[in-house]
Amino acid sequence: MTPNGLHEKLEELYTEVIRRNAGENEFHQAVHEVLDSLGPVVAKHPEFADTAVIRRLCEPERQIIFRVPWIDDKGAVQINRGFRVEFNSALGPFKGGLRFHPSVYLGIVKFLGFEQIFKNSLTGMPIGGGKGGSDFDPKGRSDGEVMRFCQSFMTELYRHLGEYTDVPAGDIGVGTREIGYMFGQYKRITNRWESGVFTGKGLTWGGSQVRTEATGYGTVFFIDQMLRTKGDSFDGKKVLVSGSGNVAIYAIEKIHQLGGTVVGCSDSGGYIIDEKGVDVEVLREIKEVRRGRICDYVDLRAGGASFVAEHSIWDVGCDIAVPCATQNELSGDQAAALIKSGCKVVAEGANMPCTPDAVKLFAEAGVMFAPGKAANAGGVATSALEMQQNASRDSWTFDETEEQLAEIMRRIHDRCVVTAEEYGQPGNYVAGANIAGFIRVADAMSALGLV
Ligand code: GLU
Protein backbone atom coordinates (compact mmCIF):
# COMPACT_ATOMS: atom_id res chain seq x y z
CA MET A 1 0.00 0.00 0.00
CA THR A 2 1.28 3.51 -0.83
CA PRO A 3 1.42 6.16 1.96
CA ASN A 4 -1.88 7.77 0.93
CA GLY A 5 -3.54 4.48 0.03
CA LEU A 6 -3.67 5.32 -3.67
CA HIS A 7 -2.79 3.36 -6.82
CA GLU A 8 0.99 3.77 -7.25
CA LYS A 9 0.59 5.82 -10.45
CA LEU A 10 -1.67 8.27 -8.60
CA GLU A 11 0.36 8.53 -5.39
CA GLU A 12 3.02 10.73 -6.97
CA LEU A 13 0.41 12.96 -8.52
CA TYR A 14 -1.36 13.40 -5.18
CA THR A 15 1.92 14.34 -3.47
CA GLU A 16 2.45 16.91 -6.20
CA VAL A 17 -1.06 18.33 -5.68
CA ILE A 18 -0.36 18.77 -1.96
CA ARG A 19 2.99 20.44 -2.63
CA ARG A 20 1.65 22.80 -5.30
CA ASN A 21 -1.44 23.79 -3.32
CA ALA A 22 -0.05 24.15 0.19
CA GLY A 23 -2.54 24.67 3.01
CA GLU A 24 -5.63 24.03 0.87
CA ASN A 25 -6.90 21.11 2.95
CA GLU A 26 -10.41 20.88 1.52
CA PHE A 27 -8.97 20.80 -2.00
CA HIS A 28 -6.56 18.01 -1.03
CA GLN A 29 -9.48 16.08 0.47
CA ALA A 30 -11.62 16.45 -2.67
CA VAL A 31 -8.74 15.37 -4.93
CA HIS A 32 -7.89 12.38 -2.73
CA GLU A 33 -11.53 11.25 -2.77
CA VAL A 34 -11.56 11.18 -6.58
CA LEU A 35 -8.08 9.66 -7.04
CA ASP A 36 -9.01 6.96 -4.55
CA SER A 37 -11.67 5.76 -7.03
CA LEU A 38 -9.52 6.00 -10.15
CA GLY A 39 -7.09 3.09 -9.54
CA PRO A 40 -9.10 0.62 -11.68
CA VAL A 41 -9.55 3.25 -14.40
CA VAL A 42 -5.81 3.89 -14.68
CA ALA A 43 -5.29 0.14 -15.00
CA LYS A 44 -7.94 -0.21 -17.71
CA HIS A 45 -7.18 2.98 -19.70
CA PRO A 46 -3.41 3.56 -19.99
CA GLU A 47 -4.14 6.09 -22.76
CA PHE A 48 -5.29 8.64 -20.16
CA ALA A 49 -1.78 8.59 -18.65
CA ASP A 50 -0.20 9.37 -22.05
CA THR A 51 -2.12 12.64 -22.30
CA ALA A 52 -1.69 13.43 -18.57
CA VAL A 53 -5.45 13.84 -18.26
CA ILE A 54 -5.58 13.38 -14.49
CA ARG A 55 -2.66 15.74 -13.87
CA ARG A 56 -4.26 18.36 -16.10
CA LEU A 57 -7.60 17.90 -14.32
CA CYS A 58 -5.99 18.78 -10.99
CA GLU A 59 -4.74 22.13 -12.29
CA PRO A 60 -7.44 24.78 -12.89
CA GLU A 61 -7.48 26.34 -16.36
CA ARG A 62 -7.61 29.80 -14.79
CA GLN A 63 -7.80 31.26 -11.25
CA ILE A 64 -8.94 34.80 -10.60
CA ILE A 65 -8.49 36.52 -7.23
CA PHE A 66 -9.50 40.15 -6.76
CA ARG A 67 -10.17 42.94 -4.28
CA VAL A 68 -13.80 43.84 -3.59
CA PRO A 69 -14.07 47.29 -1.96
CA TRP A 70 -17.48 48.60 -0.86
CA ILE A 71 -19.03 51.03 1.61
CA ASP A 72 -21.21 49.84 4.49
CA ASP A 73 -24.28 51.61 5.91
CA LYS A 74 -22.13 53.53 8.40
CA GLY A 75 -20.03 54.97 5.58
CA ALA A 76 -16.98 52.83 6.41
CA VAL A 77 -14.88 51.22 3.69
CA GLN A 78 -14.96 47.41 3.68
CA ILE A 79 -12.58 45.18 1.76
CA ASN A 80 -13.32 41.58 0.82
CA ARG A 81 -11.59 39.09 -1.42
CA GLY A 82 -13.30 37.72 -4.53
CA PHE A 83 -12.51 34.42 -6.29
CA ARG A 84 -13.42 32.59 -9.46
CA VAL A 85 -11.69 29.33 -10.25
CA GLU A 86 -12.37 28.31 -13.85
CA PHE A 87 -11.47 24.68 -13.43
CA ASN A 88 -12.31 22.80 -16.58
CA SER A 89 -14.13 23.70 -19.81
CA ALA A 90 -13.76 20.46 -21.80
CA LEU A 91 -17.50 19.74 -21.71
CA GLY A 92 -18.90 23.26 -21.91
CA PRO A 93 -18.54 26.75 -20.45
CA PHE A 94 -17.30 26.87 -16.84
CA LYS A 95 -20.37 26.35 -14.67
CA GLY A 96 -20.80 26.48 -10.92
CA GLY A 97 -22.04 28.66 -8.12
CA LEU A 98 -20.71 31.57 -6.10
CA ARG A 99 -20.45 31.20 -2.32
CA PHE A 100 -20.50 34.20 0.04
CA HIS A 101 -19.37 33.06 3.48
CA PRO A 102 -16.62 34.21 5.87
CA SER A 103 -14.90 30.80 5.60
CA VAL A 104 -14.29 31.18 1.85
CA TYR A 105 -10.65 31.08 0.75
CA LEU A 106 -8.91 29.61 -2.28
CA GLY A 107 -8.88 26.04 -0.86
CA ILE A 108 -12.68 26.00 -0.46
CA VAL A 109 -13.30 27.45 -3.91
CA LYS A 110 -10.93 24.90 -5.46
CA PHE A 111 -12.50 21.92 -3.69
CA LEU A 112 -15.92 23.06 -4.86
CA GLY A 113 -14.70 23.75 -8.40
CA PHE A 114 -12.97 20.38 -8.60
CA GLU A 115 -16.11 18.53 -7.43
CA GLN A 116 -18.17 20.54 -9.88
CA ILE A 117 -16.24 19.14 -12.88
CA PHE A 118 -17.33 15.57 -12.11
CA LYS A 119 -20.82 16.54 -10.95
CA ASN A 120 -21.49 18.47 -14.12
CA SER A 121 -20.05 15.68 -16.23
CA LEU A 122 -22.37 13.17 -14.52
CA THR A 123 -25.44 15.18 -15.50
CA GLY A 124 -24.62 14.36 -19.14
CA MET A 125 -25.16 18.02 -20.01
CA PRO A 126 -22.78 20.40 -21.86
CA ILE A 127 -21.31 22.19 -18.82
CA GLY A 128 -17.72 22.51 -17.62
CA GLY A 129 -16.77 23.08 -13.98
CA GLY A 130 -15.95 26.20 -11.98
CA LYS A 131 -16.72 27.89 -8.69
CA GLY A 132 -16.28 31.25 -7.07
CA GLY A 133 -17.24 33.42 -4.17
CA SER A 134 -16.02 35.72 -1.47
CA ASP A 135 -15.29 35.86 2.24
CA PHE A 136 -18.09 38.46 2.47
CA ASP A 137 -20.58 37.58 5.23
CA PRO A 138 -24.14 38.53 4.21
CA LYS A 139 -25.46 37.69 7.70
CA GLY A 140 -26.87 40.84 9.33
CA ARG A 141 -26.16 43.03 6.29
CA SER A 142 -28.87 45.32 4.89
CA ASP A 143 -30.21 44.97 1.34
CA GLY A 144 -28.26 48.10 0.41
CA GLU A 145 -25.00 46.67 1.73
CA VAL A 146 -25.54 43.38 -0.09
CA MET A 147 -26.31 45.29 -3.30
CA ARG A 148 -23.20 47.47 -3.07
CA PHE A 149 -21.05 44.44 -2.36
CA CYS A 150 -22.53 42.51 -5.33
CA GLN A 151 -22.05 45.49 -7.65
CA SER A 152 -18.41 45.87 -6.65
CA PHE A 153 -17.83 42.11 -6.98
CA MET A 154 -19.31 42.12 -10.48
CA THR A 155 -17.42 45.24 -11.56
CA GLU A 156 -14.33 43.03 -11.57
CA LEU A 157 -15.79 39.61 -12.39
CA TYR A 158 -17.95 40.64 -15.39
CA ARG A 159 -14.97 40.61 -17.80
CA HIS A 160 -14.42 36.90 -17.18
CA LEU A 161 -18.04 35.83 -17.72
CA GLY A 162 -20.27 35.18 -20.72
CA GLU A 163 -22.86 32.66 -21.85
CA TYR A 164 -20.15 30.76 -23.81
CA THR A 165 -17.36 31.38 -21.28
CA ASP A 166 -18.35 31.15 -17.64
CA VAL A 167 -21.84 30.98 -16.15
CA PRO A 168 -22.14 31.43 -12.36
CA ALA A 169 -25.14 30.66 -10.13
CA GLY A 170 -25.81 30.58 -6.38
CA ASP A 171 -24.40 28.55 -3.51
CA ILE A 172 -24.27 29.24 0.25
CA GLY A 173 -25.10 32.94 0.86
CA VAL A 174 -26.06 33.58 -2.77
CA GLY A 175 -29.72 33.33 -3.82
CA THR A 176 -32.06 35.14 -6.19
CA ARG A 177 -31.50 38.51 -4.48
CA GLU A 178 -27.72 38.40 -4.95
CA ILE A 179 -27.97 36.97 -8.50
CA GLY A 180 -30.32 39.86 -9.30
CA TYR A 181 -27.85 42.52 -8.12
CA MET A 182 -24.99 40.83 -9.99
CA PHE A 183 -26.98 40.28 -13.20
CA GLY A 184 -28.13 43.93 -13.03
CA GLN A 185 -24.56 45.18 -12.75
CA TYR A 186 -23.40 42.85 -15.55
CA LYS A 187 -26.17 44.20 -17.80
CA ARG A 188 -25.28 47.78 -16.94
CA ILE A 189 -21.56 47.39 -17.65
CA THR A 190 -21.85 45.31 -20.83
CA ASN A 191 -25.04 46.88 -22.21
CA ARG A 192 -26.28 43.35 -22.95
CA TRP A 193 -29.38 41.55 -21.67
CA GLU A 194 -27.54 38.26 -21.78
CA SER A 195 -29.76 35.89 -19.82
CA GLY A 196 -27.44 32.90 -20.38
CA VAL A 197 -24.65 34.46 -18.30
CA PHE A 198 -26.23 33.57 -14.94
CA THR A 199 -28.53 30.83 -13.71
CA GLY A 200 -30.75 30.96 -10.67
CA LYS A 201 -32.37 34.13 -12.00
CA GLY A 202 -35.79 35.29 -10.82
CA LEU A 203 -38.83 33.93 -12.64
CA THR A 204 -39.77 37.35 -14.10
CA TRP A 205 -36.29 37.96 -15.55
CA GLY A 206 -35.20 34.78 -17.29
CA GLY A 207 -35.13 32.23 -14.46
CA SER A 208 -36.39 28.67 -14.68
CA GLN A 209 -39.20 27.02 -12.75
CA VAL A 210 -37.90 24.50 -10.19
CA ARG A 211 -34.37 26.00 -10.04
CA THR A 212 -34.95 27.12 -6.43
CA GLU A 213 -36.24 23.69 -5.43
CA ALA A 214 -33.91 21.66 -7.67
CA THR A 215 -30.97 20.75 -5.43
CA GLY A 216 -33.20 19.57 -2.57
CA TYR A 217 -35.77 17.87 -4.81
CA GLY A 218 -33.02 16.24 -6.87
CA THR A 219 -31.32 14.80 -3.78
CA VAL A 220 -34.61 13.25 -2.69
CA PHE A 221 -35.29 11.83 -6.17
CA PHE A 222 -31.84 10.25 -5.99
CA ILE A 223 -32.52 8.70 -2.56
CA ASP A 224 -35.86 7.43 -3.85
CA GLN A 225 -33.98 5.60 -6.63
CA MET A 226 -31.53 4.13 -4.08
CA LEU A 227 -34.41 2.87 -1.95
CA ARG A 228 -36.11 1.34 -5.01
CA THR A 229 -33.05 -0.84 -5.69
CA LYS A 230 -33.90 -2.52 -2.36
CA GLY A 231 -37.63 -2.61 -3.07
CA ASP A 232 -38.07 0.09 -0.42
CA SER A 233 -39.48 3.65 -0.28
CA PHE A 234 -39.66 6.76 1.95
CA ASP A 235 -42.94 5.53 3.42
CA GLY A 236 -42.85 5.69 7.22
CA LYS A 237 -39.14 6.59 7.35
CA LYS A 238 -37.74 8.91 10.04
CA VAL A 239 -35.39 11.36 8.35
CA LEU A 240 -32.92 14.00 9.56
CA VAL A 241 -31.86 16.85 7.31
CA SER A 242 -29.07 19.16 8.44
CA GLY A 243 -29.06 22.82 7.45
CA SER A 244 -32.11 25.00 6.86
CA GLY A 245 -31.14 26.86 3.70
CA ASN A 246 -32.29 26.40 0.16
CA VAL A 247 -31.16 22.76 -0.20
CA ALA A 248 -32.58 21.62 3.16
CA ILE A 249 -35.96 23.37 2.80
CA TYR A 250 -36.83 21.75 -0.52
CA ALA A 251 -35.38 18.37 0.44
CA ILE A 252 -37.76 18.39 3.41
CA GLU A 253 -40.71 19.40 1.24
CA LYS A 254 -40.11 16.55 -1.24
CA ILE A 255 -39.44 13.92 1.48
CA HIS A 256 -42.84 14.76 2.99
CA GLN A 257 -44.49 14.49 -0.43
CA LEU A 258 -42.97 11.01 -0.82
CA GLY A 259 -44.20 9.78 2.57
CA GLY A 260 -41.16 10.22 4.85
CA THR A 261 -41.13 12.37 8.01
CA VAL A 262 -38.31 14.83 8.59
CA VAL A 263 -38.08 15.20 12.36
CA GLY A 264 -35.29 17.75 12.56
CA CYS A 265 -33.11 20.30 10.81
CA SER A 266 -30.44 22.78 11.91
CA ASP A 267 -28.29 25.85 11.41
CA SER A 268 -24.90 26.84 12.82
CA GLY A 269 -26.59 27.75 16.16
CA GLY A 270 -28.10 24.31 16.86
CA TYR A 271 -30.96 22.07 15.75
CA ILE A 272 -34.72 21.73 16.16
CA ILE A 273 -36.70 18.54 16.69
CA ASP A 274 -40.32 18.35 15.58
CA GLU A 275 -41.59 14.76 15.77
CA LYS A 276 -44.76 15.62 13.84
CA GLY A 277 -42.63 16.62 10.86
CA VAL A 278 -40.82 19.90 10.20
CA ASP A 279 -43.26 22.52 8.90
CA VAL A 280 -41.80 23.81 5.62
CA GLU A 281 -43.93 26.97 5.60
CA VAL A 282 -42.56 27.99 9.01
CA LEU A 283 -39.02 27.26 7.81
CA ARG A 284 -39.53 29.35 4.67
CA GLU A 285 -40.91 32.23 6.73
CA ILE A 286 -37.82 32.15 8.99
CA LYS A 287 -35.16 31.63 6.35
CA GLU A 288 -36.52 33.16 3.14
CA VAL A 289 -38.61 36.06 4.50
CA ARG A 290 -37.04 37.05 7.84
CA ARG A 291 -33.52 35.76 7.09
CA GLY A 292 -33.57 34.65 10.75
CA ARG A 293 -32.30 31.76 12.87
CA ILE A 294 -33.65 28.23 13.32
CA CYS A 295 -34.19 28.78 17.08
CA ASP A 296 -37.18 30.99 16.11
CA TYR A 297 -38.93 27.85 14.81
CA VAL A 298 -40.11 26.77 18.27
CA ASP A 299 -42.15 29.95 18.91
CA LEU A 300 -43.54 30.17 15.39
CA ARG A 301 -44.59 26.51 15.35
CA ALA A 302 -46.46 27.04 18.64
CA GLY A 303 -46.08 23.73 20.44
CA GLY A 304 -44.44 20.36 19.97
CA ALA A 305 -41.03 21.44 18.72
CA SER A 306 -37.83 21.91 20.71
CA PHE A 307 -34.49 23.62 20.05
CA VAL A 308 -31.11 22.27 21.13
CA ALA A 309 -28.39 24.94 21.08
CA GLU A 310 -24.79 24.34 20.05
CA HIS A 311 -25.12 20.63 19.41
CA SER A 312 -25.00 18.64 16.21
CA ILE A 313 -28.18 17.20 14.77
CA TRP A 314 -26.26 13.97 14.12
CA ASP A 315 -26.51 13.17 17.85
CA VAL A 316 -30.14 12.21 17.08
CA GLY A 317 -30.89 8.85 15.43
CA CYS A 318 -32.78 8.26 12.16
CA ASP A 319 -33.45 5.84 9.28
CA ILE A 320 -32.18 8.21 6.58
CA ALA A 321 -29.70 11.08 7.01
CA VAL A 322 -29.44 13.93 4.49
CA PRO A 323 -26.60 16.34 5.33
CA CYS A 324 -27.46 19.62 3.55
CA ALA A 325 -25.42 22.18 5.52
CA THR A 326 -21.74 22.43 4.61
CA GLN A 327 -18.43 20.61 4.12
CA ASN A 328 -17.13 18.25 6.81
CA GLU A 329 -20.17 18.72 9.06
CA LEU A 330 -20.58 14.97 9.72
CA SER A 331 -17.58 13.36 11.46
CA GLY A 332 -16.52 9.75 11.95
CA ASP A 333 -17.90 9.70 15.52
CA GLN A 334 -21.22 11.04 14.33
CA ALA A 335 -21.31 8.47 11.53
CA ALA A 336 -20.72 5.73 14.12
CA ALA A 337 -23.62 7.06 16.22
CA LEU A 338 -25.91 7.21 13.18
CA ILE A 339 -25.03 3.62 12.26
CA LYS A 340 -25.78 2.54 15.84
CA SER A 341 -29.18 4.24 15.67
CA GLY A 342 -30.08 2.06 12.67
CA CYS A 343 -29.50 4.59 9.89
CA LYS A 344 -29.47 2.73 6.56
CA VAL A 345 -29.13 5.49 3.93
CA VAL A 346 -27.05 8.68 3.81
CA ALA A 347 -27.13 11.09 0.86
CA GLU A 348 -25.14 14.32 0.62
CA GLY A 349 -27.31 17.33 -0.28
CA ALA A 350 -24.37 19.65 0.49
CA ASN A 351 -20.92 19.43 -1.10
CA MET A 352 -18.62 17.02 0.81
CA PRO A 353 -20.49 17.24 4.17
CA CYS A 354 -19.18 13.83 5.34
CA THR A 355 -15.55 13.53 6.41
CA PRO A 356 -13.47 10.72 4.84
CA ASP A 357 -13.70 8.82 8.17
CA ALA A 358 -17.48 9.02 8.10
CA VAL A 359 -17.66 7.78 4.50
CA LYS A 360 -15.37 4.86 5.35
CA LEU A 361 -17.50 3.84 8.33
CA PHE A 362 -20.71 3.97 6.27
CA ALA A 363 -19.14 1.71 3.65
CA GLU A 364 -17.91 -0.79 6.28
CA ALA A 365 -21.34 -0.90 7.93
CA GLY A 366 -23.15 -1.48 4.62
CA VAL A 367 -24.99 1.87 4.84
CA MET A 368 -26.02 3.03 1.34
CA PHE A 369 -24.08 6.24 0.75
CA ALA A 370 -24.57 8.75 -2.08
CA PRO A 371 -21.82 11.36 -2.57
CA GLY A 372 -22.80 14.97 -3.22
CA LYS A 373 -21.46 15.06 -6.74
CA ALA A 374 -24.19 12.57 -7.69
CA ALA A 375 -26.95 13.21 -5.14
CA ASN A 376 -26.95 17.03 -5.30
CA ALA A 377 -26.39 17.37 -9.06
CA GLY A 378 -30.05 18.33 -9.58
CA GLY A 379 -29.26 21.99 -8.86
CA VAL A 380 -26.70 22.43 -11.57
CA ALA A 381 -28.67 20.15 -13.93
CA THR A 382 -31.63 22.51 -13.62
CA SER A 383 -29.23 25.39 -14.23
CA ALA A 384 -28.43 23.68 -17.53
CA LEU A 385 -32.18 23.46 -18.21
CA GLU A 386 -32.38 27.20 -17.49
CA MET A 387 -29.58 27.77 -20.04
CA GLN A 388 -31.53 25.70 -22.58
CA GLN A 389 -34.66 27.76 -22.05
CA ASN A 390 -32.68 31.01 -22.29
CA ALA A 391 -30.96 29.90 -25.50
CA SER A 392 -34.30 29.15 -27.15
CA ARG A 393 -36.04 32.17 -25.53
CA ASP A 394 -38.57 29.78 -24.10
CA SER A 395 -39.89 28.94 -20.63
CA TRP A 396 -41.32 25.66 -19.49
CA THR A 397 -43.98 24.88 -16.87
CA PHE A 398 -43.16 23.75 -13.34
CA ASP A 399 -44.39 20.19 -13.98
CA GLU A 400 -42.49 19.84 -17.24
CA THR A 401 -39.27 21.05 -15.64
CA GLU A 402 -39.70 18.90 -12.54
CA GLU A 403 -40.27 15.81 -14.70
CA GLN A 404 -37.04 16.55 -16.59
CA LEU A 405 -35.18 16.93 -13.28
CA ALA A 406 -36.58 13.60 -12.02
CA GLU A 407 -35.49 11.90 -15.24
CA ILE A 408 -31.98 13.39 -15.03
CA MET A 409 -31.62 12.16 -11.43
CA ARG A 410 -32.78 8.66 -12.47
CA ARG A 411 -30.14 8.64 -15.20
CA ILE A 412 -27.37 9.83 -12.85
CA HIS A 413 -28.37 7.18 -10.34
CA ASP A 414 -28.32 4.41 -12.94
CA ARG A 415 -25.01 5.62 -14.37
CA CYS A 416 -23.45 5.36 -10.89
CA VAL A 417 -24.86 1.87 -10.34
CA VAL A 418 -23.83 0.50 -13.75
CA THR A 419 -20.33 2.02 -13.59
CA ALA A 420 -19.72 0.73 -10.06
CA GLU A 421 -20.65 -2.77 -11.27
CA GLU A 422 -18.53 -2.47 -14.41
CA TYR A 423 -15.49 -1.64 -12.27
CA GLY A 424 -16.11 -4.47 -9.81
CA GLN A 425 -17.57 -2.47 -6.92
CA PRO A 426 -21.31 -3.11 -6.95
CA GLY A 427 -23.34 -0.79 -4.69
CA ASN A 428 -20.44 1.67 -4.32
CA TYR A 429 -21.97 5.00 -5.36
CA VAL A 430 -18.73 6.88 -4.61
CA ALA A 431 -16.75 4.79 -7.10
CA GLY A 432 -19.62 4.86 -9.62
CA ALA A 433 -19.97 8.65 -9.49
CA ASN A 434 -16.24 9.40 -9.59
CA ILE A 435 -15.48 6.97 -12.41
CA ALA A 436 -18.50 7.83 -14.58
CA GLY A 437 -17.91 11.58 -14.07
CA PHE A 438 -14.22 11.19 -14.82
CA ILE A 439 -14.54 9.08 -17.99
CA ARG A 440 -16.80 11.56 -19.79
CA VAL A 441 -14.57 14.54 -19.08
CA ALA A 442 -11.38 12.57 -19.74
CA ASP A 443 -12.68 11.45 -23.15
CA ALA A 444 -13.43 15.06 -24.06
CA MET A 445 -10.05 16.27 -22.82
CA SER A 446 -8.25 13.62 -24.85
CA ALA A 447 -10.24 14.52 -27.96
CA LEU A 448 -9.51 18.25 -27.64
CA GLY A 449 -5.72 17.84 -27.68
CA LEU A 450 -3.19 19.21 -25.22
CA VAL A 451 -4.96 22.36 -24.00
N1 GLU B 1 -23.81 25.64 -6.29
C1 GLU B 1 -24.57 24.57 -6.86
C2 GLU B 1 -23.76 23.29 -6.81
O1 GLU B 1 -23.05 23.06 -5.87
C3 GLU B 1 -25.18 24.91 -8.21
C4 GLU B 1 -24.26 25.41 -9.28
C5 GLU B 1 -24.97 25.90 -10.54
O2 GLU B 1 -26.19 25.82 -10.63
O3 GLU B 1 -24.24 26.35 -11.43
O4 GLU B 1 -23.83 22.44 -7.68
Side-chain angles (χ1 to χ4, degrees):
M1 202 50 136
T2 56
N4 292 297
L6 297 170
H7 184 285
E8 58 191 34
K9 287 198 178 133
L10 298 171
E11 184 71 27
E12 192 187 327
L13 166 58
Y14 182 62
T15 312
E16 190 183 314
V17 166
I18 294 181
R19 185 183 57 76
R20 284 166 64 81
N21 304 277
E24 297 173 4
N25 296 338
E26 297 82 359
F27 179 52
H28 304 165
Q29 186 183 333
V31 171
H32 189 277
E33 195 253 6
V34 171
L35 296 185
D36 196 31
S37 299
L38 294 186
V41 185
V42 173
K44 196 166 168 178
H45 294 278
E47 73 275 15
F48 290 144
D50 299 341
T51 50
V53 167
I54 306 180
R55 261 173 65 209
R56 281 192 283 149
L57 261 170
C58 292
E59 183 69 19
E61 288 182 33
R62 187 178 295 119
Q63 307 184 55
I64 304 145
I65 305 181
F66 52 101
R67 179 173 66 202
V68 189
W70 56 284
I71 297 195
D72 69 17
D73 285 347
K74 296 195 187 87
V77 172
Q78 298 283 342
I79 307 288
N80 286 102
R81 190 171 289 172
F83 302 89
R84 186 73 181 165
V85 173
E86 298 184 331
F87 227 117
N88 195 292
S89 62
L91 294 172
F94 303 106
K95 182 84 198 86
L98 296 169
R99 175 177 293 190
F100 293 168
H101 190 272
S103 64
V104 167
Y105 77 107
L106 191 57
I108 296 256
V109 181
K110 274 161 73 176
F111 117 65
L112 291 164
F114 187 73
E115 291 258 306
Q116 200 82 44
I117 305 171
F118 304 96
K119 182 194 306 194
N120 294 4
S121 167
L122 264 180
T123 66
M125 298 163 110
I127 40 179
K131 204 85 183 193
S134 174
D135 57 358
F136 171 70
D137 187 359
K139 215 180 277 167
R141 291 292 179 191
S142 69
D143 272 358
E145 289 179 315
V146 170
M147 181 181 77
R148 289 193 296 280
F149 172 81
C150 288
Q151 290 179 339
S152 178
F153 184 83
M154 199 42 52
T155 301
E156 173 58 35
L157 191 62
Y158 87 94
R159 69 188 86 247
H160 302 288
L161 306 182
E163 89 176 279
Y164 297 107
T165 310
D166 186 350
V167 183
D171 195 82
I172 294 172
V174 178
T176 317
R177 174 181 64 168
E178 291 74 19
I179 304 273
Y181 295 147
M182 289 189 276
F183 181 66
Q185 185 74 350
Y186 181 88
K187 181 173 80 61
R188 186 186 192 192
I189 296 173
T190 59
N191 196 31
R192 285 166 64 87
W193 208 98
E194 190 185 328
S195 54
V197 73
F198 265 100
T199 62
K201 299 182 295 297
L203 292 177
T204 50
W205 42 279
S208 171
Q209 295 286 352
V210 195
R211 178 63 191 86
T212 307
E213 296 83 356
T215 312
Y217 278 18
T219 303
V220 177
F221 290 144
F222 195 96
I223 301 170
D224 188 48
Q225 292 299 313
M226 296 168 85
L227 292 167
R228 279 169 199 263
T229 64
K230 303 275 180 219
D232 206 348
S233 76
F234 269 105
D235 236 5
K237 296 287 189 302
K238 177 176 165 181
V239 187
L240 286 175
V241 172
S242 64
S244 47
N246 176 258
V247 182
I249 291 174
Y250 294 99
I252 296 171
E253 182 169 88
K254 188 52 75 183
I255 291 166
H256 287 165
Q257 285 172 16
L258 297 186
T261 305
V262 178
V263 297
C265 65
S266 62
D267 66 15
S268 55
Y271 67 88
I272 56 124
I273 289 295
D274 186 346
E275 297 286 349
K276 292 195 296 281
V278 173
D279 186 322
V280 171
E281 284 319 308
V282 173
L283 257 194
R284 290 186 56 183
E285 168 68 25
I286 296 169
K287 290 290 171 175
E288 293 178 357
V289 182
R290 302 182 183 197
R291 297 182 188 275
R293 308 297 298 162
I294 198 69
C295 54
D296 300 339
Y297 182 91
V298 178
D299 278 347
L300 278 169
R301 179 69 157 146
S306 55
F307 173 67
V308 181
E310 286 162 29
H311 274 82
S312 163
I313 192 167
W314 307 121
D315 298 344
V316 184
C318 62
D319 301 316
I320 301 175
V322 194
C324 296
T326 195
Q327 67 275 352
N328 292 328
E329 57 156 305
L330 200 164
S331 68
D333 287 347
Q334 290 161 340
L338 278 174
I339 294 165
K340 214 165 155 206
S341 82
C343 178
K344 292 277 179 295
V345 181
V346 178
E348 296 186 323
N351 292 312
M352 209 169 76
C354 298
T355 64
D357 283 357
V359 178
K360 195 162 162 256
L361 286 173
F362 290 140
E364 284 165 7
V367 171
M368 298 182 91
F369 174 77
K373 59 172 78 67
N376 74 34
V380 76
T382 308
S383 280
L385 298 178
E386 183 172 332
M387 291 161 78
Q388 273 183 39
Q389 292 168 77
N390 293 153
S392 56
R393 298 185 185 278
D394 196 2
S395 61
W396 310 334
T397 64
F398 191 96
D399 290 351
E400 233 176 313
T401 319
E402 188 183 8
E403 185 37 51
Q404 289 223 36
L405 167 63
E407 177 58 31
I408 291 167
M409 296 314 294
R410 277 194 286 272
R411 281 206 299 261
I412 296 175
H413 173 271
D414 293 353
R415 205 167 282 146
C416 292
V417 170
V418 169
T419 309
E421 270 171 22
E422 193 185 325
Y423 283 82
Q425 297 170 72
N428 186 340
Y429 285 89
V430 174
N434 285 336
I435 297 173
F438 169 76
I439 299 243
R440 181 165 177 249
V441 72
D443 275 343
M445 286 175 74
S446 300
L448 297 184
L450 191 57
V451 287

